[in-house]
């Protein structure tokens, strides 16, 4: 089911879109999948980097903060610390 959800529905968009996921490429971590959402003042983001066997999940109880940006910064720090 997870592999099926990563299949692309559209490559004409940037980032490419799959079922539930956006797919992009990072110079540092390679291919990754991300999904962001929020409701009622809460925000969340998940980044999955299959090649690096790594995932970052950020959940915040403030809708004003950027969960996606924080998740990406955490992922970059984790990738840089593993070198």
């Amino acid at each position: 089911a997870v592999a099926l959800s990563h299949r692309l529905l559209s490559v004409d968009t940037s980032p490419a879109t799959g079922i539930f996921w956006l797919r992009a490429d990072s110079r540092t971590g390679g291919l990754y999948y991300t999904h962001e959402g929020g409701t009622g003042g809460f925000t969340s983001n998940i980044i999955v980097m299959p090649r690096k066997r790594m995932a970052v999940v950020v959940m915040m109880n403030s809708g004003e903060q950027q969960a996606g940006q924080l998740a990406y910064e955490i992922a970059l720090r984790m990738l840089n610390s593993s070198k």
Side-chain angles (χ1 to χ4, degrees):
V2 172
L4 179 61
S5 75
H6 289 175
R7 288 180 49 196
L8 293 180
L9 296 175
S10 171
V11 293
D12 296 333
T13 61
S14 180
T17 305
I19 303 171
F20 309 117
W21 299 97
L22 298 178
R23 187 175 96 169
D25 204 349
S26 162
R27 289 183 300 250
T28 307
L31 179 71
Y32 69 93
Y33 300 91
T34 185
H35 188 86
E36 189 167 40
T39 184
F42 295 90
T43 59
S44 62
N45 186 279
I46 180 171
I47 295 175
V48 179
M49 295 182 167
R51 293 181 190 152
K52 298 294 184 177
R53 300 181 50 86
M54 183 180 85
V56 175
V57 178
V58 172
M59 294 182 278
M60 305 173 107
N61 62 353
S62 171
E64 296 177 12
Q65 297 184 3
Q66 300 295 321
Q69 182 63 34
L70 181 57
Y72 194 75
E73 289 175 16
I74 291 169
L76 286 177
R77 286 184 185 204
M78 290 174 63
L79 289 167
N80 289 330
S81 70
S82 66
K83 291 182 179 178

